[in-house]
Amino acid sequence: MTMTARTHADRADRADPPTLHGSAARLMADGVRESVHGPPAAALSTLVQAAALLEPDGRAVLLPDSPAALAALTAVHCGELDIAEGVLDRALSSGIGGPLLAPRHRLLRAWILMVRGRTADAAEQLAEVTGGRPPESRDLLFAAGLTLGIARRGSDLGALQRGWVPALEAVVRHPVDLFTLLPLGELAIAGARLGDLGRLQPYLRAARLLLDRLDDPPLWRTPLHWSGLHAAILTEDPAAADHHVAALVSAVGHSRYAAVVAAAAECWVEVLRGTVDPARVEAAARGLHDTGLCWDGARLAGQAAIRTSDRRAMTALLDCARMLQGGSAAGDGKPAAGTTAQRLSDREREVAELVVAGLTYREIGDRLFISAKTVEHHVARMRARLNCANRPDLLALLRTILADRSSSTTGQPWPQRTAP
C-alpha cells in the first residue's frame, strides 16, 4: 500500500498543472512514510491535511486509499480518538471516496465507539455497514474484529464462538499490512479467549515480520503489543506477557498514548502477580480512560479490586471501575459485606456468566439444576460483595470481572518475573 501511494504521488508530481487530487495523493504518501519513520504528530497532521483537501468535492476523486481512513487509523494508533472521530465525520458528510469508501469510514467510526466502551452504538453502526453489499476484504476484516470485540466486551461467549470462523476466513482473504493490525490484535484476544490462538499464529508472525522489516515503528506496533498482552493474560502465559510489557515500555517516549499503555501494562502484570497498589492502579486506569481506552481502564480497576484482600482498597477500586465504565458512583464508601472473599466462587461465576448473557433466574436455575430462589440468592450475594447499588451496576461490573478467565479460575497469583 505504501508503494502504491508513493507511485501515485510521483505521477501526480509530474502532472502539469498540479491538482487537489495530486496534492492529496502526495500528502497521503508522505503521511504513511512519516507514520513509519517520523513522529506521530507529523504523520497525523499530514494525513489530516490530505483528507481536508478532498472535503469540498471528495465524491468524484479516486485515490489508492481514503486519506480520511488513514488519518483516523493513525489517530487511533496514537490514542487521538477525538481527532479520528472528527476526520471520519467530515469524510462521511462530504462523501470522500463515494460509496466505495463510506463503509470503511463507518467501520472505523464503529471501532472508536467500541474502544470507548459504547458497544451498543458500535454494534448498531456495524449492522448498518454489513447489512448491505459485501464489504471489501480489509473492511471485512475490520467488521470481523468488531464482531468479536463487541462480543468479548459483552462477555457473550456464544457470539464469540459464532464469529470466530468467519473472522479466520476474513484474515485469509486479506494480506497482513499496517492497516489491519488493529483487527488482527482483536482477533488474537478472541482466539486466546476461545483457546484457539494457534490458528492465528501464522498471521501474527507475518505481522511481526512486517514490523521488523520497517524497523519496528512504535506507532504501529504499540496497539498490537497491547492486544498481545491481553491474549497472554487469557492464556496465562507470564513470559509472553512480560515480552509484550517490555516492548510497550521501550516505546514510552514515542507518544502520550505509548506512555499510558506502558504504565497500564506494567501495573496489570503486577496485579496478576498479587501486588495491588490502589493509587497506582487507579492512576493507570484513569490514564487508559483519558486516552480513549475506557473499557480497558474499567477492567483494570475491576480486576485489581477482586485481587486485593484490603477491603478499603477493594471498595475504592470498584468505585473507580464503575465510574470509568459510566456506572453510578458507590454510595457511602463503607466496605461492602463479604469483601474478604477476593473472587467469585465457581458456582457464582457460572451464575454470573448466565446473568450477563441475559437469562432469567428460572432459566439459569434450569441450566444449573438449582432453584430460581437459589439463583436470586447468589446474585444478591454477589451484588453485596461487589458493593453494587443496583442491577445495572452489577451487570457492568460482572462483565469486567468475567473478561479474563484467569481472574476467577486459577485463584493463584502469577510467579514473580525472573531476572534477565
Side-chain angles (χ1 to χ4, degrees), residues 378-396:
H378 282 303
V379 172
R381 188 164 59 186
M382 287 187 289
R383 180 173 158 183
R385 178 180 301 151
L386 299 176
N387 197 23
C388 294
N390 50 48
R391 182 179 174 85
D393 277 5
L394 175 63
L395 290 174

Side-chain angles (χ1 to χ4, degrees), residues 141 166-175 203:
L141 185 52
L168 290 174
E169 293 173 353
V171 172
V172 171
R173 291 183 56 179
H174 191 83
Y203 307 99

Side-chain angles (χ1 to χ4, degrees), residues 251-269:
V252 162
H254 184 258
S255 67
R256 179 179 66 92
Y257 172 81
V260 166
V261 296
E266 288 185 300
C267 186
W268 214 307
V269 294

